[in-house]
Structures are given as structure tokens and as C-alpha cells.
Amino acid sequence: MSANVAERVFDEGEVVGVLTTEPLGRLLDYKAPEGGCGTGDFVEVPLGPRRVLGVVWGKGEGRWDPAKVRPIARVLDARPMRAELRAFLTRAADYTLTPWPAMLRLATRAPGLFAPPSMRKVYRLAGPVPNTLTEARSRVVDALRDFAGAAATLGEVAEAAACGAGVVKGLVKLGVVAEEEAPKDVPYPRLNPLGLKRLEGDQVAAGDALVHAAAAGDYQCFLLKGVTGSGKTEVYLEAVAECLRQGRQALVLLPEIALTADFLNRVQDRFGARPGEWHSGVTQTERRRLWKMCAEGGVELVVGARSALFLPFRDLGLIVVDEEHDTSYKQEEGVLYNARDMAVLRASICGCPVVLSSATPSLESWANAEAGKYTRLDLGSRFGVADLPAMKAIDMRAESLPANRWISPTLAQGVQARLARGEQVLLFLNRRGFAPVTVCRACGAQVGCDHCDARMVEHRFLKRLVCHQCGATKPVPVACPSCGVEGRMAAVGPGVERLAEEVAERFPEARVAVLSSDLFGSARALKAQIEDIAAGAADIIIGTQIVAKGHNFPLLTLVGVIDADLGLQGSDLRAAERTFQLMRQVAGRAGRAEKPGEAWLQTHQPEHPVIRAILGGDEESFWRAEAAERRAAGVPPYGRMAGIILSGPDLVQVFDLGGELARRAEPLTRAGAEVFGPAPAPIARVRGRHRVRLLVKAPKGVVLQPALADWVAQVKIPPQVRIALDIDPQSFF
Ligand code: ADP
Ligand code: ZN
């Protein structure tokens, strides 16, 4: 296959440039080994006393004394990395100012990729079948005939034949069945892209556009917008089907938490088999298999979390980014990249369409569609059912609430009515824990973290105070750490755990489930709980923002937002957008099946423009207003931004370094950018490290990266100080 042929072959002894996974500059020179090597080959190279993984990137620089250049130790048994992926890695690295080796690590994140293939025993029919077999043995023979030569393990055969393993082994002894060693990393079952779902209404035009693009196979970016339940998934799965019919591979990215069994079952229903899965819950063995099958073409569809974008697809023909606005697409640690933006980049390099799907697109994508860079496809109403939930504000200024109570009488009545009808209610509060603040009633001091500039949040479930920045915990103090007075420490404000107490008191008959990321040991446990709830295992769901993400709660008919004002106060440039998206998403959880839903927002400022836009359902005017404000301020997406965080144990040292960077801004100003800061980062201390932030702002046309690189290169960063460059920062921590 042409795709697997390395473009350039180097003869033994020729100097080649190798990208390794070690943090040592870009490329290192090595000599081609005996038998030569080609561009893209995975290789093992000596580095000091060790051997490390690398990829042949091209001709070497040849700047070193050839006598000192060491040969490549060996060429690994794997498909060479394709030019498309190499180009993607370098462009993504240069865009995010990430060292190339860190990018290669992202693209090789599975253990044992290059170990000899591991084997397992498989069974198939071998010799002639005697006509005097026991019933159980006959069933085994029938089962193996059904497998039609496909490799089946002992467990699979025994299960299909409904017999014990001993029966199969007995047939092996007789010579009727052969037992063989076969590689573990086997291809995924073929998917069947036929069996059309009939699209309806707006879905038809949207589906046609996507199917057409998948068939044409050229780069094009679509923004697929429609309320939750309007059939976006249905529509993009048709594009996936077309991509499979073209014999190419498809990738669907989901926020980690939305990767539920629900979704995978749906894919299975549509295509007759499960896709390849890539997320934190997948076993290492399965990861290796998927990585290899991507490269060999043994998997047609991959459904994965953001890092699936770095898989070595043999022939990627479509990328879908579901819930494209989701902030979890931005990786905030290690390599700082936004998977949504990188998906568009990879599609443009591959030459394939990319679909960004959302009920509440990011302002970036909305603006790109407005500007004509993306093709916008709108799905109007919900499939089959009525409309979005009816929304209303509960004006908290007019409600009488005793201290430490958060459910207004109006909302309480609504809850009671749903309970009486056997329907579900969701109470949404985007605050984990019991209470966000612990304060001393004697002196007013608040309990903070010893390592961070953050208040500690009481978690009654853990019986401790927890820092949401660094995870440090301590017991709730009896005496005030500040004034020493005992017995006056008080919890202030609500968290989901405290809300759960109020609910238990007011609705003692109701079954209550609290959904908060910190209450579950694993993503898997959380998903299991969500599925139980969807099936009706709770009457009242109390949840943080994790409930907002793409789950189906068919019995849910009322969403009560406890504090709709919560996101509005932030100084974050995206505060309004986030609040808007979150409220719309949460509201979208109600009334997904036949029963109409309602969403009630408790607010102290019902006249706030964001609250009014949410209630009015006039999304376009919200976006237009928000876009106008950002344009006036020259901020993304109408200007460019980069955040620089310096952190270290010594406050003066980090501040001095920040000051030096600010003074030496010449490389930036020359490019047309401005520098702001240094200032303490919004969280000025995390894990005992002081954090200082600079912000770089530039008009839209400026290519910031080279200027940033020159700028930072001017100062020497001491070993105890870390510098993180964040292009297009999402959050401002
Ligand atoms: P979204 O992705 O926009 O939230 P979905 O694709 O999940 O919407 O559609 C919502 C529900 O409606 C799903 O249960 C889906 O199977 C069903 N549905 C949507 N469109 C169709 C269709 N054309 N034919 C049959 N069922 C559909
Ligand atoms: Zn802390």
C-alpha cells in the first residue's frame, strides 16, 4: 500500500535526523543502520547509556563529526509514521510552542508498541469430523463452523457452544480441532455502514451535506448546530457511514465523560459492531491493539477522548468533534492544546472533512461560521418531540428563604409536583463539596490552604476540608486557626452535599442521587451511576456540571438551577459564554422523551443580559452581542492572546523574572503585540509555588509564536522556575 511506503530510503551509514521522545532539542543525527532505513521508520537509538524510541524524520543536519555520529540500533517492526501525522505533530508543536519530543510522546502513548507481537491460543476446525460425536462436541463443531475460520479463543468457543472448556480440549486431542498461537492484536470487527436511518426535516439537508463531503474526501469544516435531541448524532453518524463506505477511517471525539456505554451501544446498533475505544478507562493491552490497528487499517471507527487525535491512522477520512464547546477539550496540563482546534488542523493536513457538533457552540466556532470559514448546518427542533423546555426565572429577591436554605418556595412546589407524578427532577449547582467557605464567626477569618491561595472547601462526605487547587486536605478545625476561639467555625454557602441535606429534609420520601466528580473513584463508576439514574433509580438528581454533558435522562421533566448567577461574576473573558452554554445545556436535560420539560433558574438579577438571553432563547442575539463586545476589546476570537505563567518556590525570583520579560518585550512589540504584567496569577500560589502571569495580546493577523519564542529565549530560566506558555488560553488560572 502506497500509504505505508516510507518516502525516502537512506542507505547504511547515511546521516539521518531522528526525533526522539527525550527532551533534547528537535532532531538528533544518527547513521542509518545495516540494511538502511526510511523516513517515518520507528527506530531505537542509543542515547548515552540508554536506548530510546525515535522516528526517522529525514536527512540529518550533518553538522557533527561523522566519526562521532552513532548508528541507529534497530528499525522497529511497525508501520512507518506517515507524512500526514509527522506534519500534524510538527505543526501542532509549533502552534502550541511545545517541544517536538513531547508531541511524539503524545503520539506513542501505549506500552509495548514495539515489543514482539504477543500471542494467544485460538481454535479452528482441523481434521475430518467423525459422525459419532457427543451432543456437546457437535455443538462445538457447529460453533466453529459459524466462526468460519475467524480466530476464536477457548472462552469464545465454549460460550458459543454452551459447553465447558474441557469439551473443546477433548476435540483438540482427537485432532478434530486445531489449537494455534495467534497474535493478540487482532483487527476490530468490521462495521456495516448500510442500514440507513431515515433522516427527517432539517436533518435531511444537513445529512446530505456531510455525506457529500465525506464522499468527496476533501478538507472542509462544518459547524453542526442543533438543540440537544435534534438528531446531531444521527446526522453525523450518516457521514461516518459514508466514510466507511469509502473504505476510510473515521474518528469521533467526545468529552471523556460523555463516552458512555449509551453512546457505544448506539454505534453498535447503527453499525452492527463496537468501534475502537480510546479513553482513560481502556486497558493498556487494548490501547496497544487500537494503536496498531489504526496504523494497519484494522479499525474503521475510533471513538475517543481528546488524545485519540494523535493516533496513527492509516487513512483518516472524517473527524467529528462532539460537544465542541466543551472546555475539557483543552488540555490544561503538560502539552497545552485544544483538541477541537487541533482536530481542524489534522483534518486540513489529511484532506478530510471535520464536523464540530454542539447545541451551544463556542464563540470561536460561531464566529468562524459567520466569517464563512466553516459551513454552518442548523437542526431546528427536537426530533419527534416538542420544543426546548419552557424556561423561567425565579426572582430570588422576591422569595423568602431562611438562612442556609437554597431551594425557594416556588422551586420546592415544582419539585413536589414532579415527585407526585413520578417524574425526575434535577437540581443543578456547580459547586462540589458541602460548603465553599469555612469562616470563624468570632474573627471573620476564612480557612485557606497552606500551600495555595485558595479557600478550603468543606467535604462532609470525607469529613475534611479540601483544597480544590492542589487536593490538600485537613480536618475542620474546632478552634479558629487565626484567633483561637473554639466552637465558632461555620460553613458558609452551598455545595452539592449541603444541598443534598436540604433535599433530604424537605423531601424525605424522595430517592436522591448526588452526581459530583469527586464522589466517584473512577470515570467508570460515575458512568454506571449515570446509567442507573437514567433508568429511574433516583427521583431527585443533585449535580454539578458533569450532569450537563450529553447524558439522556428520559424521565427528567424539571431542572432547577440553584444559582444561575454563579458564573456571571468572574473576570474571565469567557464567563458570559460559559454561563450561557452551561445553562442551555442543563436546561436541555429536561423533557428528552415524550414528556415536556421545564427549566427554572433561581437568580438575583433576572434582568442581566445573559440571563435574559438564556430565557428568551434568542441565541443569535446573545452571540452577536458577545461578539461585538469581544471585537471592541480586541480579544479572542477577534484578537490573539497568549498566557505565560512563571512559577517557582521563591516569590521575588519569579516576579523579577516576570519583570525582566516585561522589560525585554521588544521581539513582541516589533511583531505588533503588547505585554501585560507581571501580575500575580488569579491563583497566586499552588502547591507552595508562587505563580506570576503575563498576558500577550495582539491583533488577529499577527503570527505570535515565533515572536513569543524569541522573547522567552532572551531570559535564562533558572532550574527551579517553570515556564508555561498557553496559546489561546481558555481559563485564566
Ligand atoms: P443530539 O445528538 O442532537 O442530541 P440525537 O441524534 O441523539 O440528538 O437524537 C435524539 C433522539 O432522537 C435519539 O434517540 C435518536 O435516536 C432519535 N432520532 C433522531 N433523529 C432520528 C431519525 N431521523 N430517525 C429515528 N430516530 C431519530
Ligand atoms: Zn492547596
Side-chain angles (χ1 to χ4, degrees):
M1 252 157 288
S2 66
N4 293 315
V5 174
E7 301 93 284
R8 203 183 140 190
V9 177
F10 299 96
D11 295 326
E12 178 175 357
E14 264 188 89
V15 177
V16 297
V18 173
L19 176 60
T20 72
T21 51
E22 302 300 305
L24 292 165
R26 289 197 161 180
L27 304 179
L28 305 177
D29 274 2
Y30 286 92
K31 280 183 190 145
E34 193 186 331
C37 62
T39 317
D41 277 350
F42 283 92
V43 293
E44 205 171 71
V45 293
L47 194 71
R50 294 183 304 140
R51 284 181 165 202
V52 301
L53 174 67
V55 174
V56 176
W57 222 252
K59 198 167 146 31
E61 286 196 48
R63 278 194 287 149
W64 316 103
D65 174 2
K68 296 220 173 99
V69 174
R70 300 163 78 181
I72 286 171
R74 68 187 178 104
V75 176
L76 298 165
D77 182 19
R79 305 276 168 149
M81 184 184 282
R82 301 183 58 235
E84 168 261 312
L85 182 51
R86 296 200 308 275
F88 172 60
L89 294 182
T90 51
R91 292 206 18 215
D94 293 346
Y95 186 85
T96 55
L97 289 171
T98 302
W100 289 14
M103 277 293 165
L104 181 58
R105 280 200 295 280
L106 271 184
T108 50
R109 274 208 335 204
L113 288 181
F114 309 102
S118 69
M119 308 295 276
R120 60 177 181 170
K121 289 203 168 69
V122 295
Y123 298 80
R124 62 173 180 80
L125 273 184
V129 179
N131 42 21
T132 55
L133 287 180
T134 63
E135 208 179 303
R137 286 181 168 178
S138 304
R139 285 204 305 274
V140 169
V141 170
D142 288 345
L144 287 171
R145 284 200 175 115
D146 287 346
F147 283 121
T153 61
L154 191 56
E156 288 163 344
V157 178
E159 192 190 327
C163 68
V167 184
V168 185
K169 289 280 191 181
L171 285 165
V172 173
K173 277 216 187 82
L174 279 180
V176 177
V177 171
E179 180 185 78
E180 294 164 345
E181 295 277 320
K184 246 188 183 158
D185 298 323
V186 292
Y188 288 76
R190 300 284 310 210
L191 304 184
N192 176 5
L194 303 172
L196 272 175
K197 259 244 173 93
R198 274 241 315 284
L199 298 180
E200 298 188 3
D202 295 345
Q203 296 175 346
V204 178
D208 281 353
L210 294 185
V211 166
H212 191 262
D218 299 324
Y219 167 74
Q220 195 179 349
C221 185
F222 293 92
L223 176 59
L224 178 61
K225 182 185 173 307
V227 295
T228 321
S230 58
K232 297 183 294 297
T233 312
E234 217 60 65
V235 167
Y236 74 62
L237 286 181
E238 288 313 305
V240 168
E242 180 57 31
C243 174
L244 304 189
R245 282 193 286 271
Q246 299 289 327
R248 306 184 78 186
Q249 294 165 304
L251 168 64
V252 174
L253 293 180
L254 293 171
E256 175 94 34
I257 186 65
L259 266 166
T260 52
D262 201 28
F263 185 84
L264 295 164
N265 291 341
R266 190 162 166 186
V267 171
Q268 175 155 19
D269 286 349
R270 173 67 183 81
F271 297 114
R274 284 172 87 82
E277 281 175 59
W278 182 270
H279 52 82
S280 61
V282 169
T283 64
Q284 299 288 7
T285 324
E286 206 47 36
R287 276 180 170 251
R288 188 194 58 211
R289 174 184 175 207
L290 185 63
W291 192 94
K292 290 192 167 181
M293 289 307 128
C294 277
E296 290 172 18
V299 62
E300 296 168 285
L301 169 61
V302 175
V303 176
R306 63 186 174 218
S307 62
L309 204 50
F310 295 89
L311 285 167
F313 292 97
R314 196 191 68 178
D315 185 13
L316 187 55
L318 173 71
I319 308 178
V320 176
V321 184
D322 202 350
E323 314 272 354
E324 68 90 30
H325 63 279
D326 197 289
T327 50
S328 71
Y329 280 123
K330 177 69 189 271
Q331 166 128 329
E332 299 279 13
E333 257 170 51
V335 178
L336 306 178
Y337 69 94
N338 186 320
R340 183 233 305 149
D341 300 344
M342 292 301 120
V344 175
L345 175 64
R346 186 152 190 194
S348 73
I349 294 172
C350 280
C352 75
V354 54
V355 181
L356 311 180
S357 171
S358 174
T360 53
S362 59
L363 189 69
E364 272 80 0
S365 299
W366 180 87
N368 278 327
E370 284 288 295
K373 281 196 236 164
Y374 297 174
T375 306
R376 182 164 159 176
L377 303 172
D378 278 52
L379 300 183
S381 56
R382 287 186 163 192
F383 176 78
V385 255
D387 315 282
L388 262 182
M391 290 199 253
K392 73 169 188 189
I394 297 177
D395 186 344
M396 295 302 277
R397 294 168 303 192
E399 300 276 327
S400 65
L401 264 183
N404 294 337
R405 284 286 179 277
W406 288 275
I407 301 172
S408 65
T410 309
L411 181 55
Q413 272 171 20
V415 174
Q416 203 67 65
R418 297 311 181 289
L419 294 179
R421 293 203 296 266
E423 296 167 3
Q424 277 179 335
V425 177
L426 165 66
L427 297 180
F428 176 79
L429 176 63
N430 203 12
R431 262 184 177 155
R432 291 179 283 142
F434 182 79
V437 186
T438 302
V439 62
C440 169
R441 292 256 186 254
C443 75
Q446 300 180 352
V447 183
C449 175
D450 298 334
H451 317 284
C452 308
D453 274 358
R455 294 168 179 156
M456 292 201 91
V457 177
E458 182 177 348
H459 285 242
R460 205 149 276 195
F461 169 76
L462 298 171
K463 300 194 178 60
R464 291 181 85 81
L465 298 175
V466 178
C467 170
H468 284 185
Q469 289 309 316
C470 73
T473 73
K474 58 184 171 193
V476 184
V478 178
C480 172
S482 219
C483 71
V485 172
E486 285 190 18
R488 302 291 307 277
M489 301 308 292
V492 176
V496 282
E497 292 176 17
R498 195 170 202 183
L499 188 61
E501 278 193 6
E502 184 177 346
V503 164
E505 260 168 51
R506 299 184 71 151
F507 311 104
E509 309 293 302
R511 294 165 304 159
V512 179
V514 181
L515 283 178
S516 175
S517 54
D518 56 320
L519 296 178
F520 294 88
S522 66
R524 195 172 294 181
L526 174 62
K527 284 170 197 166
Q529 167 92 349
I530 287 174
E531 277 148 32
D532 286 350
I533 293 173
D539 305 311
I540 301 181
I541 308 157
I542 296 175
T544 60
Q545 63 171 352
I546 57 169
V547 299
K549 299 186 179 177
H551 309 296
N552 253 316
F553 295 111
L555 304 172
L556 180 68
T557 57
L558 175 64
V559 172
V561 177
I562 297 299
D563 187 355
D565 307 335
L566 201 55
L568 295 176
Q569 303 106 338
S571 56
D572 195 321
L573 106 99
R574 291 184 172 82
E577 182 188 350
R578 290 268 160 75
T579 306
F580 182 75
Q581 287 166 342
L582 195 56
M583 294 296 120
R584 299 280 306 195
Q585 296 272 329
V586 171
R589 297 299 119 217
R592 301 249 317 169
E594 307 74 39
K595 295 177 181 137
E598 286 188 63
W600 297 357
L601 278 58
Q602 298 195 143
T603 173
H604 286 91
Q605 31 188 342
E607 66 294 327
H608 191 290
V610 174
I611 301 286
R612 291 219 327 240
I614 295 165
L615 295 174
D618 186 357
E619 300 170 81
E620 295 306 315
S621 55
F622 170 76
W623 272 308
R624 267 194 299 276
E626 184 66 12
E629 269 186 32
R630 301 242 197 123
R631 199 191 305 266
V635 295
Y638 302 99
R640 310 244 14 225
M641 252 171 145
I644 290 89
I645 298 253
L646 296 163
S647 65
D650 180 349
L651 177 63
V652 175
Q653 184 186 39
V654 253
F655 246 103
D656 283 354
L657 205 60
E660 189 184 345
L661 277 171
R663 277 193 306 282
R664 302 177 68 173
E666 214 273 307
L668 289 172
T669 46
R670 198 172 350 118
E674 289 173 281
V675 183
F676 299 89
I683 310 276
R685 202 165 53 112
V686 172
R687 294 187 180 88
R689 296 175 69 86
H690 297 277
R691 305 166 83 236
V692 163
R693 186 185 69 181
L694 295 110
L695 267 182
V696 175
K697 237 178 95 176
K700 193 158 171 82
V702 172
V703 183
L704 265 184
Q705 284 84 347
L708 281 168
D710 290 348
W711 175 53
V712 171
Q714 298 178 106
V715 299
K716 196 171 165 341
I717 311 283
Q720 63 274 37
V721 173
R722 274 201 296 267
I723 181 164
L725 280 123
D726 189 359
I727 308 290
D728 312 326
Q730 279 286 327
S731 65
F732 289 81
F733 301 132

